Amino acid sequence: MTKEFEESMRSALLVRQSFLDLRDNFRRIVDPPLWSFDGKGPKPKRQIVLDGPVSCGKSIALSMLVQWAREQGWLVFYIAKGKEWTHGGFFYKNPQTGLWDTPVQAAKILQDFLKFNESRLQQIPCQIFDPIPLGEGAGVGWMKGVDSMAMPEGSTLYDLVQTGLTYTHAAVGVVVRLRKELSLVKDIPVLIAIDQYNSWFTFSEYGEPITARSWRPIHARELATVSAFRSMMHNDMMVGAFSHSTAVGKLRKDLPDVPLDARTNLPRYSLDEAATVCHYYLRQRLIRREAFSEEKWKKIYYLSNGNGAEMRWLVSFIQ
């Protein structure tokens, strides 16, 4: 999307019908009076997985949904790069949970969430006051004689997130607690949006030593943060987008912890959408008018098979 903005010299995106359908699905959940009264319309889904061929617009549709939801005043937990939860940083096995903690990633998760939701989080009270379990801090080891941290009565979600940012030992525990708290927010709509969602159904970058010469790869589901957020078997609004750039490979249709009807396939550009895009590029002077013709843009469409990224690349040759 950033590359599109740079090359077209304008921060603009095509509003496609597939995005409008996605937006209206979640809007109908939050605003039931918009439902069709005859009962013939499609039933809104609270959990959706965006799938489809390479460069069909899954990530862009997700980011547009996130932007729209924020403008509506929703609380949005958005992860633009889900693969980062499973790669890099410090990791260790927590003996209390049996899961693998990644405190560096947990701190980054909390920072990103706070960046776009700070004022909203200050208004939402915590509803769970059980002590937050502490783990090993990034580069500082375990806290001596302390294995949990209490959240005082009257704390807000802002206080919860700040606790995880202030104390590295609490970062993972706060992320896990935050997931539970998001399910209990009722005053405003909450949307969980995860890009590169498919990277949570394969192995992470981490490994566990078995012998002096062997190790086993750690699956993403064994990471505490992923385990807390991966499941779609709940009543919360959640949308995940598959990304072919993560090189995960093809996953089976019936994913664990995902409803069978959750997967939605997004199409590539239709002929009409391709015409709109090519004329937009013409207006942005990416194509010389004298070199542009209906025959040429249709040739671009069929050569790229509706792949938006390839269409933008082929346009550069019409000079």
Side-chain angles (χ1 to χ4, degrees), residues 50 80 99 107 147 152 295 301 303:
L50 302 178
L99 298 174
D147 59 4
E295 179 184 355
Y301 172 73
L303 283 173

Side-chain angles (χ1 to χ4, degrees), residues 67 72 76 161 202 215 237 265 287:
Q67 178 64 23
Q72 303 302 306
V76 182
V161 172
T202 186
W215 64 285
M237 292 189 296
N265 285 300
I287 310 173

Side-chain angles (χ1 to χ4, degrees), residues 89-111:
F90 168 70
F91 69 99
Y92 71 95
K93 191 168 188 177
N94 190 319
Q96 297 178 349
T97 64
L99 298 174
W100 295 80
D101 287 359
T102 50
V104 175
Q105 279 86 343
K108 178 65 164 54
I109 292 166
L110 296 174
Q111 288 170 356

Side-chain angles (χ1 to χ4, degrees), residues 72-93:
Q72 303 302 306
W74 296 13
L75 180 63
V76 182
F77 185 90
Y78 175 45
I79 299 300
K81 296 181 180 180
K83 187 177 180 179
E84 291 185 350
W85 286 33
T86 64
H87 287 67
F90 168 70
F91 69 99
Y92 71 95
K93 191 168 188 177

